[in-house]
Amino acid sequence: TDRPDLWNIKNLFEVKNGQRILVEECLFENSWQDGQKGEAIVLTPRNGGTGNAPWQRVWDITIRNNDIRNVGNGFLIMGDNSLENPTEQTQRILFTNNFIEVTETAAEFARFFKINTQKPDGRPVKDLTITHNTMLHRDGELGSAAILFEYNGIQADRLVIENNIMSHGQYGVQNIQSRATNYRFASNGFVFNPIHPSYQFWLNNFDAKYPGNVKSDTLTDVGFVDAANGNYRLAESSPFKHAGTDGLDLGADMDAIATMT
């Protein structure tokens, strides 16, 4: 505490150059805003220094069966280098069966995914799949958004977001219509917070904004076994049971995550 400049906190796991990577059966926890925005996992190709490594790439990454808790933001994914030096284009990324809890006090945004290029002529992430994850703002937190497609240009090409359970937050899924192409966005369960100022607006406009998706007016209505005590398994009475496009429950398989971690 007497040397606030001693440490520069960034994130918990980052890939700047790598391919054919499997990240699973891990507990990631406690990441807050400091040197970065409190992300848990960052996938961002980099060609720094003299810029003589244009082959830097983030390809074929699978992140599954992980427990990610008390982080300011979940994931940051970039299609290519945000600097002037070129890299290969990020592609074939899979996020599946993860539990993610973001905490608004750990960062100013509290998002699960931020997808961007950081320059107008940047290339999008190709073949990005986000499926069967349970992504919640910590109880009592309002949260800024669920998923953000940031900056200009197309941020994702050949994108699948389906069968997830996620807190809606203030803005829900931002800019998917204008900043993603060739995408499938369906059968996700959104959880609303009645004390949020935008609660009634989003309920009234849900079907128009999120066709093919479903909603739960409160955390209680999801039908978790015991959310108050951190049991986010779905009870048999939950409307999200067997509601996935594949006939499985929406969200993550919490039993599998508990066993693996």
Side-chain angles (χ1 to χ4, degrees), residues 15 18-22 43 57-63 77-79 88-95 124-130 155-160:
V15 179
Q19 64 188 75
R20 296 188 296 275
I21 296 173
L22 173 63
L43 305 180
R57 62 185 57 169
V58 178
W59 287 3
D60 303 294
I61 312 293
T62 295
I63 298 174
I77 314 166
M78 296 180 60
E88 298 280 1
Q89 185 175 5
T90 301
Q91 53 193 291
R92 296 184 300 276
I93 310 296
L94 171 63
F95 295 89
V125 180
K126 293 181 65 176
D127 298 301
L128 170 61
T129 299
I130 302 168
Q155 308 301 330
D157 183 16
R158 297 199 296 266
L159 167 70
V160 176

Short mmCIF file of all heavy atoms in Angstrom, two decimals, residues 15 18-22 43 57-63 77-79 88-95 124-130 155-160:
data_model
loop_
_atom_site.label_atom_id
_atom_site.label_comp_id
_atom_site.label_asym_id
_atom_site.label_seq_id
_atom_site.Cartn_x
_atom_site.Cartn_y
_atom_site.Cartn_z
N VAL A 15 -3.11 -14.37 -24.80
CA VAL A 15 -2.41 -14.94 -25.95
C VAL A 15 -2.14 -13.83 -26.94
O VAL A 15 -3.07 -13.20 -27.45
CB VAL A 15 -3.23 -16.07 -26.63
CG1 VAL A 15 -2.47 -16.62 -27.84
CG2 VAL A 15 -3.53 -17.20 -25.65
N GLY A 18 -0.07 -17.41 -30.70
CA GLY A 18 -0.21 -18.83 -30.38
C GLY A 18 -1.31 -19.46 -31.20
O GLY A 18 -2.21 -18.78 -31.68
N GLN A 19 -1.22 -20.77 -31.36
CA GLN A 19 -2.25 -21.49 -32.08
C GLN A 19 -2.39 -22.90 -31.52
O GLN A 19 -1.48 -23.42 -30.86
CB GLN A 19 -1.97 -21.54 -33.58
CG GLN A 19 -0.71 -22.29 -33.98
CD GLN A 19 -0.40 -22.13 -35.46
OE1 GLN A 19 0.05 -21.08 -35.90
NE2 GLN A 19 -0.67 -23.16 -36.22
N ARG A 20 -3.56 -23.49 -31.75
CA ARG A 20 -3.88 -24.82 -31.23
C ARG A 20 -3.67 -24.87 -29.72
O ARG A 20 -2.90 -25.67 -29.20
CB ARG A 20 -3.05 -25.90 -31.95
CG ARG A 20 -3.37 -25.99 -33.44
CD ARG A 20 -2.70 -27.17 -34.11
NE ARG A 20 -1.25 -27.07 -34.08
CZ ARG A 20 -0.53 -26.39 -34.98
NH1 ARG A 20 -1.15 -25.73 -35.96
NH2 ARG A 20 0.77 -26.35 -34.91
N ILE A 21 -4.39 -24.01 -29.02
CA ILE A 21 -4.29 -23.90 -27.56
C ILE A 21 -5.63 -24.29 -26.94
O ILE A 21 -6.68 -23.83 -27.37
CB ILE A 21 -3.91 -22.46 -27.14
CG1 ILE A 21 -2.51 -22.11 -27.66
CG2 ILE A 21 -3.98 -22.31 -25.63
CD1 ILE A 21 -2.13 -20.66 -27.42
N LEU A 22 -5.55 -25.14 -25.93
CA LEU A 22 -6.74 -25.54 -25.17
C LEU A 22 -6.58 -25.04 -23.73
O LEU A 22 -5.61 -25.35 -23.06
CB LEU A 22 -6.88 -27.06 -25.17
CG LEU A 22 -7.97 -27.66 -24.27
CD1 LEU A 22 -9.35 -27.19 -24.70
CD2 LEU A 22 -7.89 -29.18 -24.27
N LEU A 43 -7.32 -12.21 -25.90
CA LEU A 43 -6.81 -12.83 -27.12
C LEU A 43 -6.57 -11.72 -28.13
O LEU A 43 -7.51 -11.18 -28.71
CB LEU A 43 -7.82 -13.85 -27.68
CG LEU A 43 -8.27 -14.96 -26.73
CD1 LEU A 43 -9.27 -15.88 -27.42
CD2 LEU A 43 -7.10 -15.76 -26.19
N ARG A 57 0.05 -14.59 -34.59
CA ARG A 57 -1.32 -15.03 -34.83
C ARG A 57 -1.96 -15.56 -33.56
O ARG A 57 -1.27 -16.02 -32.65
CB ARG A 57 -1.34 -16.14 -35.90
CG ARG A 57 -0.58 -17.39 -35.46
CD ARG A 57 -0.50 -18.42 -36.57
NE ARG A 57 0.12 -17.92 -37.78
CZ ARG A 57 0.49 -18.70 -38.80
NH1 ARG A 57 0.31 -20.01 -38.74
NH2 ARG A 57 1.04 -18.17 -39.87
N VAL A 58 -3.29 -15.52 -33.54
CA VAL A 58 -4.08 -16.17 -32.50
C VAL A 58 -5.10 -17.03 -33.24
O VAL A 58 -6.14 -16.53 -33.69
CB VAL A 58 -4.76 -15.14 -31.58
CG1 VAL A 58 -5.62 -15.84 -30.54
CG2 VAL A 58 -3.71 -14.28 -30.87
N TRP A 59 -4.78 -18.30 -33.38
CA TRP A 59 -5.58 -19.23 -34.18
C TRP A 59 -5.94 -20.46 -33.35
O TRP A 59 -5.17 -20.93 -32.53
CB TRP A 59 -4.79 -19.73 -35.40
CG TRP A 59 -4.58 -18.75 -36.50
CD1 TRP A 59 -4.94 -17.44 -36.55
CD2 TRP A 59 -3.92 -19.02 -37.75
NE1 TRP A 59 -4.55 -16.87 -37.73
CE2 TRP A 59 -3.92 -17.81 -38.49
CE3 TRP A 59 -3.33 -20.14 -38.32
CZ2 TRP A 59 -3.37 -17.71 -39.76
CZ3 TRP A 59 -2.77 -20.04 -39.57
CH2 TRP A 59 -2.79 -18.84 -40.30
N ASP A 60 -7.13 -20.99 -33.60
CA ASP A 60 -7.52 -22.30 -33.06
C ASP A 60 -7.37 -22.35 -31.54
O ASP A 60 -6.61 -23.15 -31.00
CB ASP A 60 -6.70 -23.42 -33.73
CG ASP A 60 -6.85 -23.41 -35.23
OD1 ASP A 60 -7.97 -23.66 -35.70
OD2 ASP A 60 -5.86 -23.11 -35.94
N ILE A 61 -8.13 -21.50 -30.88
CA ILE A 61 -8.10 -21.42 -29.42
C ILE A 61 -9.45 -21.92 -28.88
O ILE A 61 -10.50 -21.46 -29.31
CB ILE A 61 -7.88 -19.98 -28.93
CG1 ILE A 61 -6.71 -19.31 -29.67
CG2 ILE A 61 -7.69 -19.95 -27.42
CD1 ILE A 61 -5.36 -19.90 -29.39
N THR A 62 -9.40 -22.87 -27.95
CA THR A 62 -10.61 -23.36 -27.29
C THR A 62 -10.51 -23.07 -25.79
O THR A 62 -9.53 -23.46 -25.15
CB THR A 62 -10.79 -24.88 -27.51
OG1 THR A 62 -11.01 -25.13 -28.90
CG2 THR A 62 -11.98 -25.40 -26.70
N ILE A 63 -11.52 -22.40 -25.27
CA ILE A 63 -11.59 -22.08 -23.84
C ILE A 63 -12.87 -22.70 -23.31
O ILE A 63 -13.98 -22.25 -23.67
CB ILE A 63 -11.54 -20.56 -23.61
CG1 ILE A 63 -10.21 -20.01 -24.14
CG2 ILE A 63 -11.72 -20.22 -22.13
CD1 ILE A 63 -10.11 -18.50 -24.11
N ILE A 77 -11.31 -9.76 -27.22
CA ILE A 77 -10.87 -10.47 -28.42
C ILE A 77 -10.68 -9.44 -29.53
O ILE A 77 -11.56 -8.62 -29.78
CB ILE A 77 -11.90 -11.51 -28.88
CG1 ILE A 77 -12.40 -12.34 -27.70
CG2 ILE A 77 -11.32 -12.41 -29.96
CD1 ILE A 77 -13.64 -13.14 -28.01
N MET A 78 -9.54 -9.52 -30.20
CA MET A 78 -9.25 -8.57 -31.28
C MET A 78 -8.93 -9.32 -32.57
O MET A 78 -8.29 -10.37 -32.55
CB MET A 78 -8.09 -7.66 -30.90
CG MET A 78 -8.41 -6.77 -29.70
SD MET A 78 -7.05 -5.70 -29.23
CE MET A 78 -6.86 -4.76 -30.73
N GLY A 79 -9.40 -8.75 -33.69
CA GLY A 79 -9.21 -9.41 -34.98
C GLY A 79 -7.80 -9.34 -35.51
O GLY A 79 -7.36 -10.22 -36.25
N GLU A 88 -1.31 -11.65 -38.42
CA GLU A 88 -2.32 -12.53 -39.00
C GLU A 88 -3.68 -12.21 -38.38
O GLU A 88 -3.77 -11.59 -37.32
CB GLU A 88 -1.96 -13.99 -38.75
CG GLU A 88 -0.66 -14.45 -39.37
CD GLU A 88 -0.80 -14.76 -40.86
OE1 GLU A 88 -1.91 -14.60 -41.41
OE2 GLU A 88 0.20 -15.18 -41.46
N GLN A 89 -4.74 -12.65 -39.02
CA GLN A 89 -6.10 -12.38 -38.58
C GLN A 89 -6.56 -13.45 -37.59
O GLN A 89 -6.44 -14.65 -37.83
CB GLN A 89 -7.03 -12.36 -39.79
CG GLN A 89 -8.45 -11.97 -39.51
CD GLN A 89 -9.26 -11.86 -40.80
OE1 GLN A 89 -8.78 -12.17 -41.88
NE2 GLN A 89 -10.50 -11.41 -40.68
N THR A 90 -7.09 -13.01 -36.45
CA THR A 90 -7.58 -13.94 -35.43
C THR A 90 -8.70 -14.80 -35.99
O THR A 90 -9.63 -14.29 -36.62
CB THR A 90 -8.08 -13.17 -34.20
OG1 THR A 90 -7.02 -12.38 -33.68
CG2 THR A 90 -8.60 -14.10 -33.13
N GLN A 91 -8.65 -16.12 -35.74
CA GLN A 91 -9.68 -16.98 -36.29
C GLN A 91 -9.80 -18.30 -35.55
O GLN A 91 -8.89 -18.75 -34.87
CB GLN A 91 -9.41 -17.25 -37.77
CG GLN A 91 -8.04 -17.77 -38.11
CD GLN A 91 -7.79 -17.70 -39.61
OE1 GLN A 91 -8.40 -18.44 -40.38
NE2 GLN A 91 -6.91 -16.80 -40.04
N ARG A 92 -11.00 -18.87 -35.67
CA ARG A 92 -11.36 -20.16 -35.09
C ARG A 92 -11.17 -20.15 -33.57
O ARG A 92 -10.28 -20.80 -33.03
CB ARG A 92 -10.58 -21.30 -35.74
CG ARG A 92 -10.92 -21.46 -37.22
CD ARG A 92 -10.22 -22.64 -37.85
NE ARG A 92 -8.77 -22.54 -37.78
CZ ARG A 92 -8.02 -21.88 -38.65
NH1 ARG A 92 -8.58 -21.23 -39.67
NH2 ARG A 92 -6.71 -21.84 -38.51
N ILE A 93 -12.06 -19.41 -32.91
CA ILE A 93 -12.04 -19.25 -31.45
C ILE A 93 -13.34 -19.81 -30.89
O ILE A 93 -14.43 -19.47 -31.36
CB ILE A 93 -11.90 -17.77 -31.05
CG1 ILE A 93 -10.73 -17.10 -31.79
CG2 ILE A 93 -11.75 -17.65 -29.55
CD1 ILE A 93 -9.37 -17.66 -31.48
N LEU A 94 -13.24 -20.67 -29.89
CA LEU A 94 -14.42 -21.30 -29.28
C LEU A 94 -14.41 -21.06 -27.78
O LEU A 94 -13.44 -21.39 -27.08
CB LEU A 94 -14.41 -22.80 -29.55
CG LEU A 94 -15.46 -23.64 -28.80
CD1 LEU A 94 -16.88 -23.24 -29.20
CD2 LEU A 94 -15.23 -25.13 -29.05
N PHE A 95 -15.51 -20.48 -27.28
CA PHE A 95 -15.77 -20.36 -25.84
C PHE A 95 -17.00 -21.22 -25.53
O PHE A 95 -18.09 -20.93 -26.02
CB PHE A 95 -16.07 -18.91 -25.45
CG PHE A 95 -14.92 -17.96 -25.63
CD1 PHE A 95 -14.75 -17.30 -26.83
CD2 PHE A 95 -14.04 -17.70 -24.60
CE1 PHE A 95 -13.70 -16.40 -27.01
CE2 PHE A 95 -13.00 -16.81 -24.76
CZ PHE A 95 -12.82 -16.16 -25.96
N PRO A 124 -11.78 -8.40 -38.97
CA PRO A 124 -12.58 -8.97 -37.89
C PRO A 124 -12.05 -10.32 -37.42
O PRO A 124 -11.26 -10.97 -38.10
CB PRO A 124 -13.95 -9.13 -38.54
CG PRO A 124 -13.64 -9.37 -39.99
CD PRO A 124 -12.45 -8.50 -40.28
N VAL A 125 -12.51 -10.71 -36.24
CA VAL A 125 -12.31 -12.09 -35.79
C VAL A 125 -13.14 -12.99 -36.70
O VAL A 125 -14.31 -12.71 -36.98
CB VAL A 125 -12.78 -12.26 -34.34
CG1 VAL A 125 -12.57 -13.71 -33.88
CG2 VAL A 125 -12.06 -11.29 -33.42
N LYS A 126 -12.55 -14.09 -37.18
CA LYS A 126 -13.26 -15.01 -38.05
C LYS A 126 -13.57 -16.31 -37.30
O LYS A 126 -12.73 -16.83 -36.57
CB LYS A 126 -12.42 -15.34 -39.28
CG LYS A 126 -12.22 -14.17 -40.23
CD LYS A 126 -11.40 -14.56 -41.44
CE LYS A 126 -12.12 -15.58 -42.30
NZ LYS A 126 -11.35 -15.88 -43.54
N ASP A 127 -14.78 -16.80 -37.48
CA ASP A 127 -15.19 -18.08 -36.90
C ASP A 127 -15.08 -18.05 -35.38
O ASP A 127 -14.28 -18.77 -34.77
CB ASP A 127 -14.37 -19.23 -37.48
CG ASP A 127 -14.57 -19.39 -38.98
OD1 ASP A 127 -15.73 -19.60 -39.39
OD2 ASP A 127 -13.58 -19.27 -39.73
N LEU A 128 -15.89 -17.21 -34.78
CA LEU A 128 -15.95 -17.07 -33.33
C LEU A 128 -17.26 -17.69 -32.84
O LEU A 128 -18.34 -17.32 -33.30
CB LEU A 128 -15.88 -15.59 -32.95
CG LEU A 128 -16.17 -15.23 -31.49
CD1 LEU A 128 -15.16 -15.88 -30.55
CD2 LEU A 128 -16.17 -13.71 -31.31
N THR A 129 -17.15 -18.63 -31.89
CA THR A 129 -18.33 -19.30 -31.34
C THR A 129 -18.37 -19.13 -29.83
O THR A 129 -17.39 -19.44 -29.14
CB THR A 129 -18.32 -20.80 -31.69
OG1 THR A 129 -18.33 -20.95 -33.12
CG2 THR A 129 -19.54 -21.50 -31.11
N ILE A 130 -19.50 -18.64 -29.33
CA ILE A 130 -19.74 -18.46 -27.90
C ILE A 130 -21.02 -19.23 -27.58
O ILE A 130 -22.12 -18.80 -27.96
CB ILE A 130 -19.89 -16.97 -27.56
CG1 ILE A 130 -18.64 -16.18 -27.98
CG2 ILE A 130 -20.17 -16.78 -26.07
CD1 ILE A 130 -18.82 -14.67 -27.94
N GLN A 155 -16.51 -6.32 -36.80
CA GLN A 155 -15.68 -6.87 -35.73
C GLN A 155 -15.64 -8.39 -35.71
O GLN A 155 -14.72 -8.98 -35.14
CB GLN A 155 -16.18 -6.37 -34.37
CG GLN A 155 -16.36 -4.87 -34.29
CD GLN A 155 -15.07 -4.11 -34.56
OE1 GLN A 155 -13.98 -4.58 -34.29
NE2 GLN A 155 -15.20 -2.93 -35.11
N ALA A 156 -16.64 -9.04 -36.29
CA ALA A 156 -16.68 -10.51 -36.29
C ALA A 156 -17.33 -11.00 -37.57
O ALA A 156 -18.33 -10.45 -38.02
CB ALA A 156 -17.44 -11.03 -35.07
N ASP A 157 -16.75 -12.04 -38.15
CA ASP A 157 -17.26 -12.64 -39.37
C ASP A 157 -17.42 -14.14 -39.12
O ASP A 157 -16.51 -14.80 -38.63
CB ASP A 157 -16.27 -12.39 -40.52
CG ASP A 157 -16.77 -12.93 -41.84
OD1 ASP A 157 -17.98 -13.23 -41.95
OD2 ASP A 157 -15.96 -13.08 -42.76
N ARG A 158 -18.60 -14.67 -39.45
CA ARG A 158 -18.96 -16.05 -39.13
C ARG A 158 -18.94 -16.24 -37.61
O ARG A 158 -18.05 -16.85 -37.04
CB ARG A 158 -18.05 -17.06 -39.84
CG ARG A 158 -18.15 -16.98 -41.36
CD ARG A 158 -17.64 -18.22 -42.03
NE ARG A 158 -16.23 -18.44 -41.83
CZ ARG A 158 -15.28 -18.03 -42.67
NH1 ARG A 158 -15.60 -17.34 -43.74
NH2 ARG A 158 -14.02 -18.28 -42.42
N LEU A 159 -19.97 -15.70 -37.01
CA LEU A 159 -20.10 -15.61 -35.56
C LEU A 159 -21.31 -16.42 -35.10
O LEU A 159 -22.38 -16.35 -35.71
CB LEU A 159 -20.27 -14.14 -35.15
CG LEU A 159 -20.72 -13.84 -33.73
CD1 LEU A 159 -19.61 -14.16 -32.73
CD2 LEU A 159 -21.14 -12.38 -33.60
N VAL A 160 -21.14 -17.17 -34.01
CA VAL A 160 -22.25 -17.89 -33.39
C VAL A 160 -22.31 -17.50 -31.92
O VAL A 160 -21.33 -17.66 -31.19
CB VAL A 160 -22.08 -19.42 -33.52
CG1 VAL A 160 -23.21 -20.14 -32.77
CG2 VAL A 160 -22.08 -19.84 -34.99
#
